[in-house]
Amino acid sequence: MENTLFPIFLKTHHLNFLIIGGGNVGLEKTKTLLKQNHLAKITVVSSEFKDEFKTLIKQYSNLKLTEREFNETDLDGKDLVVIATNNSFLNQQIKQLANTKKLLVNAADQPDLCDFYLGSIVNKGQLKIAISTNGKSPVLARRLREYLEKEIPENISQSIDNLNLFRSGLKKGLSHRVDQLNKVTSVLVEPKENKSFLAFKMLYIPGLVLFFLLGYIASDYFSVSELTGVFSYLPSEFYYVLVIGFIAQIVDGALGLGYGMTSASAMMAMGVSLPAISGSNHTAEMFSSAVSGYTHYRFKNVNKKLLFWLSVPGVVGAVLGSLFVIYIGSEYEYIAYPFVALYLMIIAIRLIALALRSNIVKKKIKYVGILGLSGGFFDAFGGGGWGPIVTSTLLTKGRPTRYVVGTVSLAEFFVTFAASMVFFSKLGFGYWYIFLGLALGGVIAAPLGAKLAGRLPKRLSYVFVGILVFIASLRIIIKFI
């Protein structure tokens, strides 16, 4: 059946609304109207009201409650009528009376009695989108609203204001204005033919650096004639680490955290030394986070101001943490091993607690620099933790998942680069096969992880990763006790 609805947007400041029914449905309709315009004039008629109406009446002087049965005179002076009772016969009577007075009616969950629908509304500043399924599936309309609210950037209103100022400054005719606006907004649309080139660019820079670095490593171990049989030199651990790197990067790219803690706990179970774990982790993450961060940047998932205040202190913390683990891990490994495992367990518990947290209220972020410094230090010391510390903290402040994941992922590149340089200068590349496996697995998985950002069930994913790391770390502690 064709949808013949004609969508319009009403200026509600001069309209008078009548809502009949003081139950849950009436309350929902009242709150919806007030959310869109807190000055809308609304009269609610009902023989009884939900308690929450008493709170609303104190907040809005333009809201009037009439506690009695509906009367035909209630329609006088009204512009739009919303019926929210569970009495079908009464609803039909009200509909007929309202139409007689040439008033338009909306009846909740009764499409046949509706002259108009109250669709699901996406509201981001100056941008407003109304969604309707022609009264067939309100659930689908709500799901679409939730999806768009998540995908549309919070600062879209600023973009609209900037475009409005730009349009106002254009002095020539309509044709010229349209041409200029088309040029300015063309960057919002990626041509299909450029997608393959974009994917190439996302891999080109880190891939090129990785190629030369691997060539440098190989020159210390193989002659040109031996390069054809290079795979015979790879220890069996390389293939296990390759899988670990792939899985860890999928987790990190999709959730914005978990690469280090996932790979570190797995390699500790394999018996790899702590400096080698942290060194190979950060050297490998340098490449995978470059791909992931660049991908997030191209997908416009990065807050540049937040990026700066995380990256600079994060680099300082990473250098200090790297030097600390090199000394502790080499001299007191029997103490450091269970200590790092305990640290990873705490991070895993924090991750699970974040997933189980029900109400997250947006709060002001304080001391971002200290957050970056501590995140960088503990990340380098424990072989992982940048994401669980930084991402989880930002998410608990009510920040959008998309921008938190994207910004933290790009900042991670600078942190891992700094840590890698310290480990390389102090340890050399004796752990090259571990780094190689992690790097290859991570680079392959990075674009896929970025594509999944914000799309996986967040709570379930956090709990799953947290439980796996907790169990792996617990086994290590038991082994050393």
Side-chain angles (χ1 to χ4, degrees):
M1 178 181 175
E2 185 180 0
N3 189 334
T4 58
L5 295 175
F6 183 76
I8 61 174
F9 290 90
L10 299 174
K11 294 183 177 181
T12 57
H13 61 278
H14 65 282
L15 297 178
N16 289 299
F17 291 89
L18 173 65
I19 297 178
I20 304 163
N24 288 324
V25 178
L27 178 63
E28 178 190 353
K29 301 299 183 183
T30 302
K31 292 169 69 175
T32 297
L33 290 172
L34 289 172
K35 180 179 180 182
Q36 300 308 315
N37 183 1
H38 66 281
L39 297 177
K41 301 179 183 66
I42 303 172
T43 300
V44 186
V45 177
S46 179
S47 58
E48 55 182 334
F49 290 93
K50 296 283 292 185
D51 291 340
E52 196 169 342
F53 271 107
K54 298 177 182 178
T55 303
L56 290 177
I57 197 68
K58 295 178 182 178
Q59 298 175 356
Y60 300 97
S61 59
N62 47 301
L63 175 62
K64 178 182 177 182
L65 303 182
T66 303
E67 193 169 356
R68 59 168 169 75
E69 298 291 340
F70 167 77
N71 189 291
E72 183 178 352
T73 58
D74 294 324
L75 299 171
D76 295 340
K78 303 301 187 294
D79 298 296
L80 294 169
V81 179
V82 177
I83 305 173
T85 80
N86 55 9
N87 187 330
S88 299
F89 179 73
L90 176 61
N91 294 348
Q92 291 177 355
Q93 285 186 314
I94 297 173
K95 159 75 171 173
Q96 293 174 357
L97 289 171
N99 287 165
T100 300
K101 295 177 178 290
K102 301 187 181 303
L103 299 177
L104 298 179
V105 174
N106 170 271
D109 296 326
Q110 291 184 279
D112 293 340
L113 298 182
C114 289
D115 299 312
F116 67 93
Y117 297 129
L118 297 175
S120 290
I121 300 172
V122 180
N123 196 355
K124 290 289 183 79
Q126 299 294 334
L127 178 67
K128 185 165 291 188
I129 302 172
I131 304 169
S132 173
T133 58
N134 206 12
K136 301 298 183 183
S137 180
V139 173
L140 177 60
R142 186 176 74 249
R143 294 302 184 195
L144 288 172
R145 172 181 60 79
E146 292 171 351
Y147 173 79
L148 290 173
E149 284 180 340
K150 181 177 68 174
E151 290 299 316
I152 296 174
E154 295 293 333
N155 61 349
I156 189 68
S157 189
Q158 181 181 349
S159 299
I160 294 174
D161 290 336
N162 290 338
L163 285 172
N164 182 55
L165 289 173
F166 178 76
R167 186 188 67 171
S168 301
L170 297 175
K171 302 300 183 183
K172 295 183 179 180
L174 178 62
S175 178
H176 173 74
R177 292 186 180 188
V178 172
D179 289 340
Q180 292 300 311
L181 287 171
N182 282 337
K183 289 180 181 179
V184 171
T185 56
S186 62
V187 296
L188 300 176
V189 182
E190 286 287 345
K192 293 183 178 179
E193 59 270 21
N194 288 340
K195 287 186 177 180
S196 59
F197 181 66
L198 174 61
F200 170 76
K201 285 169 60 179
M202 288 190 296
L203 293 171
Y204 176 74
I205 297 176
L208 186 64
V209 177
L210 178 61
F211 174 79
F212 282 109
L213 186 57
L214 293 179
Y216 171 78
I217 298 171
S219 66
D220 287 342
Y221 292 89
F222 312 109
S223 64
V224 175
S225 61
E226 292 174 326
L227 287 177
T228 54
V230 66
F231 286 103
S232 62
Y233 291 89
L234 292 174
S236 58
E237 291 84 356
F238 164 80
Y239 301 100
Y240 294 108
V241 175
L242 178 69
V243 176
I244 292 173
F246 182 88
I247 296 174
Q249 185 56 42
I250 288 289
V251 171
D252 185 76
L255 305 181
L257 47 79
Y259 183 99
M261 61 185 290
T262 303
S263 56
S265 60
M267 286 191 289
M268 287 176 71
M270 291 173 58
V272 181
S273 67
L274 290 181
I277 289 174
S278 191
S280 57
N281 257 351
H282 287 86
T283 308
E285 269 191 295
M286 179 174 63
F287 297 98
S288 57
S289 62
V291 177
S292 180
Y294 181 73
T295 307
H296 280 295
Y297 182 79
R298 288 308 302 257
F299 289 162
K300 305 185 187 306
N301 295 346
V302 175
N303 182 309
K304 294 180 181 179
K305 183 177 180 181
L306 180 61
L307 174 66
F308 174 82
W309 286 107
L310 287 177
S311 300
V312 175
V315 166
V316 176
V319 171
L320 296 176
S322 301
L323 295 172
F324 192 65
V325 75
I326 289 172
Y327 173 74
I328 294 293
S330 300
E331 299 293 330
Y332 304 100
E333 187 171 42
Y334 65 95
I335 297 176
Y337 223 79
F339 181 80
V340 173
L342 179 62
Y343 159 75
L344 291 174
M345 285 180 64
I346 295 173
I347 293 295
I349 293 172
R350 178 182 173 87
L351 192 61
I352 295 172
L354 173 64
L356 299 179
R357 189 169 178 172
S358 55
N359 296 321
I360 298 179
V361 180
K362 188 174 182 179
K363 301 177 182 177
K364 184 178 180 180
I365 304 174
K366 298 181 180 179
Y367 311 115
V368 178
I370 295 177
L371 176 64
L373 179 70
S374 59
F377 178 86
F378 286 107
D379 178 73
F381 173 70
W386 171 258
I389 292 174
V390 179
T391 302
S392 62
T393 300
L394 295 177
L395 288 177
T396 56
K397 300 297 183 181
R399 293 307 183 268
T401 302
R402 174 182 172 185
Y403 292 101
V404 170
V405 172
T407 306
V408 173
S409 294
L410 184 54
E412 189 175 22
F413 165 73
F414 300 102
V415 172
T416 55
F417 180 83
S420 299
M421 293 302 100
V422 175
F423 283 113
F424 175 74
S425 63
K426 295 293 183 179
L427 302 178
F429 262 111
Y431 53 89
W432 65 269
Y433 63 94
I434 299 175
F435 150 70
L436 179 60
L438 288 176
L440 289 178
V443 168
I444 293 171
L448 177 59
K451 192 69 176 177
L452 294 174
R455 289 172 170 81
L456 297 179
K458 185 170 63 175
R459 295 179 186 274
L460 181 62
S461 300
Y462 282 11
V463 170
F464 181 71
V465 173
I467 291 175
L468 286 180
V469 173
F470 183 88
I471 293 174
S473 302
L474 182 61
R475 291 182 59 189
I476 294 168
I477 292 176
I478 294 174
K479 180 179 176 181
F480 273 80
I481 291 179

